[in-house]
C-alpha cells in the first residue's frame, strides 16, 4: 500500500460518516477496500469490542473498535517486516508523516519525550501514526473518535 493510499483512507475516515453506527462503519470501510467479517469480535476490557478487518493488499493488519455499539476507532498497520529497524519501514513512516502533515498540519507528540507516536487533533477525531522498530518493523495508523475513546478508557478502569 502506498503512502498516498494510506492518506486517502485517513482522509475518507475524517468525514465522520463511519461514526454513525456499526453498519455505517462497515459500509464506509467496504468502500475503502476493507470488510468486517460476521461475528461478535473480540471483547476488550471495559466492554469495547475489536473487529479484525479483512484488508486490502499492502496492509498487514486492520481493526475496527466499537464501544456500547458505537464505532470508536479504525487502526491499520503497513510496511511491516520481521526485521527490526527497517530502513524501508522508517522511510515509509517519514513519508506518511509528511503527507499527513500536508493534510492536517503539524503533528504533536503523544508523549513529549518520545518521537513516536504522533497525532493530529481535528474537531472530534484524532489521527495518529506510530513507528515500531525494536523487534520487527511496522507503521501503525489510527483514526479515533476522541470522546468515545476516552469513555471506553474510563469504563476499562
Amino acid at each position: 500500500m502506498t503512502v498516498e493510499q494510506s492518506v486517502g483512507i485517513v482522509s475518507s475516515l475524517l468525514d465522520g460518516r463511519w461514526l454513525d453506527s456499526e453498519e455505517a462503519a462497515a459500509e464506509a470501510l467496504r468502500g475503502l477496500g476493507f470488510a468486517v467479517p460476521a461475528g461478535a469480535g473480540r471483547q476488550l476490557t471495559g466492554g469495547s469490542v475489536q473487529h479484525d478487518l479483512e484488508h486490502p493488499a499492502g496492509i498487514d493488519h486492520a481493526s475496527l473498535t466499537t464501544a456500547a455499539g458505537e464505532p470508536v476507532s479504525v487502526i491499520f498497520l503497513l510496511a511491516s517486516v520481521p526485521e527490526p529497524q527497517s530502513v524501508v519501514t522508517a522511510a515509509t513512516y517519514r513519508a506518511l508523516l509528511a503527507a499527513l502533515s500536508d493534510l492536517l498540519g503539524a503533528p504533536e507528540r503523544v508523549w513529549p519525550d518520545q518521537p513516536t507516536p504522533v497525532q493530529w487533533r481535528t474537531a472530534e477525531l484524532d489521527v495518529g501514526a506510530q513507528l515500531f522498530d525494536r523487534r520487527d518493523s511496522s507503521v501503525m495508523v489510527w483514526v479515533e473518535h476522541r470522546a468515545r475513546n476516552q469513555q471506553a478508557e474510563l469504563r476499562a478502569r
Side-chain angles (χ1 to χ4, degrees), residues 81 83-94 131 133 137:
V81 296
E83 301 85 33
Q85 300 179 348
S86 163
V87 173
V88 172
T89 301
T92 299
Y93 179 71
R94 287 190 303 276
L131 173 65
D133 67 353
S137 298

Side-chain angles (χ1 to χ4, degrees), residues 6-16 18 72-76 93 96-97 99-101 103-110 117-130 140-146 149:
S6 298
V7 172
I9 290 169
V10 169
S11 180
S12 293
L13 292 172
L14 288 175
D15 73 16
W18 64 281
V72 174
S73 66
V74 174
I75 296 172
F76 60 96
Y93 179 71
L96 179 69
L97 292 187
L100 287 172
S101 294
L103 176 67
L104 300 167
E108 59 186 46
R109 290 181 177 182
V110 172
V118 298
Q119 67 183 359
W120 295 261
R121 294 179 171 274
T122 68
E124 58 183 349
L125 298 174
D126 290 337
V127 174
Q130 184 164 1
M140 182 172 71
V141 180
W142 69 88
V143 178
E144 67 185 9
H145 188 277
R146 186 179 310 109
N149 186 52

Side-chain angles (χ1 to χ4, degrees), residues 20-43:
D20 292 340
S21 65
E22 286 189 52
E23 294 79 22
E27 183 179 328
L29 289 165
R30 242 186 327 276
L32 295 169
F34 297 89
V36 182
R42 182 173 45 252
Q43 285 289 115

